[in-house]
Amino acid sequence: MASEQTVPPMRGLPIAFYGTVIHSLDANTLEILQECFLIVDDNGKIQKIAKDTPRSKINDLVVESGYTPDVFPVKYLSRGDFLIPGFVDTHHHAPQWAQRGMGRDQTLLDWLNNVTFAHERKFEDPAYARRMYAACVAAGIRQGVTTTAYYGSLHGEATKVLADICLEQGQRAFVGKCNMNRNSPDWYREASAQDSLKQTEDLIAHVRKIDAEGKRVKPVLTPRFAITCDEELLSGLGRIAANDPDIHIQTHFNEAQDEMQFTRQLFPKFKHEADLYDHFGLLGPKTILAHSIFLEEDEISHIKSKGCGIAHCPISTSTLGEFMMAPIREYLRRGIKVGLGTDVGGGFSCSILDAMRQAFIISKARETFSKGADPALKLHEGFFLATLGGAQVCGIDERVGNFVEGKEFDALEIHTIDAERNNEIGCGSLGIVTPIEDDDSVETIFEKFLMTGDDRNIVKVYIGGSSLKR
Ligand SMILES: [Zn+2]
């Protein structure tokens, strides 16, 4: 059984940082603040950001902010160190944690039937779920993922365990159980639409019980995709959404050719998937549409008008089955919300840095195939998708995603230089990041981290002001 618990106390001590802070203001604007003084209050919120602050002014700012100077904890960041916002993973299947990287050569529907459903079935055992989910969530935090939108298995109890674990470990999360009452093996299918809906409502109640204000963990309706849901089930989910304006929704959307063809056969009366999901009341500003590869022109306008966000999962869409390139440039051009998803376990990596690098590769391919009409993503755009863009997709950009006074402090402390090795050999990078040289600018160091750094460079992970990386 899932445990009965409440939100752990999130108050801590106030803390301040002095040094380089890097974040996105929007998709086109990267802000690099040097000599930045940033105070996090004891509620884990950003109390003050003072740009271009000489070190001699710090004590004055501490006093102005209501604290006692000299004893107030200020962390001074060295050269090669900086703060960035925490990464947001907008699409992740927690019960596929143990199958990442498996089944590369198969189409989507074959991969689900041959590899995935058998793995997800194991989560009928809540004890197994607890072990596997604990490892999965801890690994995400280690990689600097401060918010994740999780698909659970179809099991209500195991998915409650996933919500419990996110709360225990302190990760910000959306947690949903997959709805699926047809077109999967009989040993991995819900008995009926009513049963699926009942378990969904039960999960929502559990998540809201353990975190009543939704400070860390929130429920999300998760029709796996229309193929596995009959009309009664989709209608029932739409009813839940209509009666619960706070509920989030996530599903797979125009992901692969075989999936789209099968969906058309099952729902011939709908023009396309946007029409279908909208008919059942499942498209809105709190909807996360994973993949969104092959949209028709009016489908793009449709999801834009509904305010839906897109979880771009470049690793799974270029390694599973055929190579698929979502039109991310077009979505950004139209002001549609886009974030990055690892799509564990279709995606082999739970690192948003890896997802971002693959997004660069896919966008480069798209630039070539479009003969330059869709320019490749720039570095600052990839970083935006990994942070603020993801927060927008999840509808939490008012609270996190970048550094603004009043927002919660979800942040990563990045170190790129290993001081000891640097003294020994003169180019002592921390981990495998490209060596930092004496004349490197902050911009260069930032790019070296984004393109070649890994979790060894993420030395601290703060969620709501608490340091969580162990
Ligand atoms: Zn997926």
Side-chain angles (χ1 to χ4, degrees):
M1 290 290 289
S3 60
E4 300 294 332
Q5 58 186 85
T6 53
V7 184
M10 288 181 196
R11 283 171 178 270
L13 294 172
I15 184 172
F17 297 85
Y18 181 72
T20 301
V21 173
I22 304 175
H23 67 157
S24 296
L25 300 181
D26 55 47
N28 296 314
T29 317
L30 180 76
E31 191 172 52
I32 298 182
L33 304 170
Q34 299 187 60
E35 298 189 316
C36 179
F37 184 61
L38 185 153
I39 298 180
V40 180
D41 70 16
D42 57 4
N43 284 315
K45 290 191 172 162
I46 300 167
Q47 180 177 352
K48 184 164 201 64
I49 299 177
K51 307 172 183 178
D52 303 322
T53 304
R55 211 166 159 135
S56 58
K57 293 278 180 211
I58 289 178
N59 268 355
D60 294 347
L61 289 172
V62 169
V63 173
E64 268 175 35
S65 303
Y67 301 106
T68 309
D70 298 323
V71 294
F72 188 77
V74 178
K75 190 162 190 179
Y76 292 91
L77 302 174
S78 306
R79 178 175 155 74
D81 303 350
F82 51 91
L83 294 178
I84 58 173
F87 294 134
V88 178
D89 184 350
T90 60
H91 188 73
H92 183 124
H93 296 263
Q96 296 173 18
W97 180 243
Q99 68 168 80
R100 281 173 300 133
M102 301 294 106
R104 293 307 81 207
D105 54 345
Q106 305 182 39
T107 66
L108 174 65
L109 297 186
D110 287 345
W111 173 80
L112 286 170
N113 285 309
N114 299 335
V115 181
T116 302
F117 291 147
H119 273 273
E120 294 196 6
R121 180 192 195 182
K122 296 180 192 170
F123 288 77
E124 64 196 3
D125 173 6
Y128 177 80
R130 172 156 279 280
R131 283 201 307 278
M132 202 54 78
Y133 286 156
C136 172
V137 173
I141 293 171
R142 202 158 56 234
Q143 296 284 348
V145 181
T146 51
T147 300
T148 298
Y150 286 113
Y151 285 58
S153 60
L154 60 71
H155 310 101
E157 286 307 313
T159 311
K160 289 180 192 173
V161 169
L162 175 58
D164 293 346
I165 286 171
C166 293
L167 199 60
E168 285 164 23
Q169 296 198 15
Q171 193 183 38
R172 218 176 281 287
F174 295 84
V175 178
K177 66 159 244 71
C178 276
N179 299 102
M180 40 192 298
N181 69 340
R182 64 169 176 172
N183 291 320
S184 59
D186 55 6
W187 42 261
Y188 194 62
R189 186 193 307 161
E190 294 180 290
S192 65
Q194 296 92 316
D195 183 53
S196 182
L197 293 167
K198 189 188 168 306
Q199 294 224 35
T200 301
E201 286 175 317
D202 198 29
L203 173 69
I204 294 169
H206 177 81
V207 175
R208 288 184 173 155
K209 184 174 174 188
I210 62 172
D211 188 355
E213 294 174 55
K215 285 186 172 174
R216 287 290 165 94
V217 185
K218 292 183 129 195
V220 52
L221 296 178
T222 307
R224 181 169 209 127
F225 52 7
I227 288 175
T228 58
C229 301
D230 64 17
E231 295 210 9
E232 185 185 353
L233 181 49
L234 290 170
S235 300
L237 291 169
R239 262 196 314 278
I240 294 175
N243 293 327
D244 188 346
D246 199 36
I247 197 82
H248 291 252
I249 302 167
Q250 58 183 355
T251 194
H252 295 88
F253 191 72
N254 288 300
E255 178 178 3
Q257 298 288 1
D258 57 347
E259 169 266 321
M260 291 169 62
Q261 277 166 13
F262 194 14
T263 304
R264 272 203 197 94
Q265 279 174 30
L266 292 168
F267 297 93
K269 66 182 176 187
F270 297 109
K271 192 174 166 203
H272 43 49
E273 292 192 13
D275 192 18
L276 188 168
Y277 288 104
D278 196 22
H279 171 83
F280 291 104
L282 296 168
L283 296 188
K286 288 192 164 71
T287 304
I288 305 173
L289 299 171
H291 308 300
S292 308
I293 313 272
F294 305 103
L295 272 65
E296 295 177 24
E297 170 54 36
D298 68 328
E299 235 178 339
I300 299 179
S301 315
H302 197 132
I303 61 164
K304 161 78 178 160
S305 72
K306 288 283 171 180
C308 307
I310 290 170
H312 177 37
C313 307
I315 294 182
S316 59
T317 57
S318 57
T319 56
L320 198 66
E322 61 202 306
F323 187 92
M324 296 177 289
M325 301 176 287
I328 298 305
R329 173 60 62 201
E330 180 63 12
Y331 296 149
L332 290 175
R333 214 180 263 139
R334 295 201 189 193
I336 293 172
K337 297 177 290 185
V338 186
L340 292 175
T342 59
D343 198 11
V344 163
F348 52 74
S349 169
C350 68
S351 160
I352 287 291
L353 286 170
D354 285 344
M356 183 187 60
R357 292 166 195 155
Q358 188 65 17
F360 290 136
I361 293 171
I362 287 202
S363 71
K364 195 73 193 162
R366 187 133 189 142
E367 177 181 276
T368 303
F369 282 104
S370 70
K371 298 193 168 29
D374 285 343
L377 291 171
K378 303 245 186 320
L379 189 84
H380 68 267
E381 292 174 314
F383 178 70
F384 164 80
L385 297 181
T387 54
L388 184 59
Q392 290 173 348
V393 167
C394 293
I396 51 172
D397 51 306
E398 295 291 310
R399 293 170 59 196
V400 298
N402 60 359
F403 300 121
V404 174
E405 289 175 5
K407 282 195 180 184
E408 296 188 48
F409 187 66
D410 282 14
L412 313 182
E413 186 179 320
I414 308 299
H415 291 193
T416 56
I417 297 172
D418 180 335
E420 274 180 31
R421 291 186 64 222
N422 210 35
N423 290 340
E424 266 172 39
I425 59 176
C427 60
S429 300
L430 187 62
I432 53 168
V433 71
T434 308
I436 309 301
E437 302 200 81
D438 288 344
D439 57 353
D440 280 348
S441 65
V442 173
E443 288 81 357
T444 301
I445 295 171
F446 176 60
E447 183 168 4
K448 285 181 172 179
F449 164 69
L450 286 189
M451 295 311 297
T452 66
D454 63 18
D455 59 315
R456 284 167 285 191
N457 304 108
I458 304 171
V459 299
K460 291 270 185 191
V461 176
Y462 295 91
I463 303 182
S466 301
S467 172
L468 295 180
K469 185 159 177 170
R470 296 179 183 94

